[in-house]
Amino acid sequence: EINSIPNKFPEMIEKCLHLLQNPQSNFTLEGFSEELGYSPSQISRLFKKHTGLSIVDYRNQKRLDYVAIKMNAEKTTITKAAYEAGFGSYAQFHRIFKLHFGYSPNEFIRKLKSK
């Protein structure tokens, strides 16, 4: 995991990573800017430089991880898990899931059930 290496990142990036630990976090670049005292463009540029991901991509990855954990640990619907993870709509979740994995959530579930 990106933030498992201690003292690898500048303090500002560490703070961003900490604020993003909660997948339901709805911090925006402006929110980070207010919280950390850096401009949104500085935060965005430095976050990507040090992590290799944009803040949005990192947050989406955390949310997808949350959905995967929920789906494996509990009998819950994928829609409920997506909303609990902080996705604003099922359509948003579906689009991000498909971009990340290359297939839809329903195709994923079918693959799991066929094993």
Side-chain angles (χ1 to χ4, degrees), residues 16-29:
C16 285
L17 291 168
H18 177 74
L19 292 169
L20 289 166
Q21 284 307 302
N22 179 351
Q24 296 94 351
S25 167
N26 286 320
F27 260 96
T28 62
L29 271 176

Side-chain angles (χ1 to χ4, degrees), residues 66 68-77 80 84:
Y66 179 88
I69 290 167
K70 288 292 272 189
M71 294 301 296
N72 286 325
E74 300 175 15
K75 293 290 182 194
T76 187
T77 67
K80 182 178 180 195
E84 286 178 11

Side-chain angles (χ1 to χ4, degrees), residues 43-99:
I43 293 169
S44 180
R45 187 180 75 255
L46 289 172
F47 192 91
K48 181 142 187 163
K49 175 184 174 188
H50 289 282
T51 66
L53 297 169
S54 71
I55 288 174
V56 169
D57 289 341
Y58 181 84
R59 179 187 301 135
N60 286 338
Q61 181 61 55
K62 296 297 277 181
R63 288 175 175 173
L64 289 171
D65 291 346
Y66 179 88
V67 171
I69 290 167
K70 288 292 272 189
M71 294 301 296
N72 286 325
E74 300 175 15
K75 293 290 182 194
T76 187
T77 67
I78 198 159
T79 303
K80 182 178 180 195
Y83 281 114
E84 286 178 11
F87 288 102
S89 68
Y90 185 78
Q92 176 196 27
F93 165 72
H94 186 278
R95 180 178 45 79
I96 291 167
F97 188 99
K98 193 162 187 172
L99 275 172

Side-chain angles (χ1 to χ4, degrees), residues 96-104 107 111:
I96 291 167
F97 188 99
K98 193 162 187 172
L99 275 172
H100 185 78
F101 293 109
Y103 45 83
S104 75
E107 289 171 310
K111 286 179 184 186

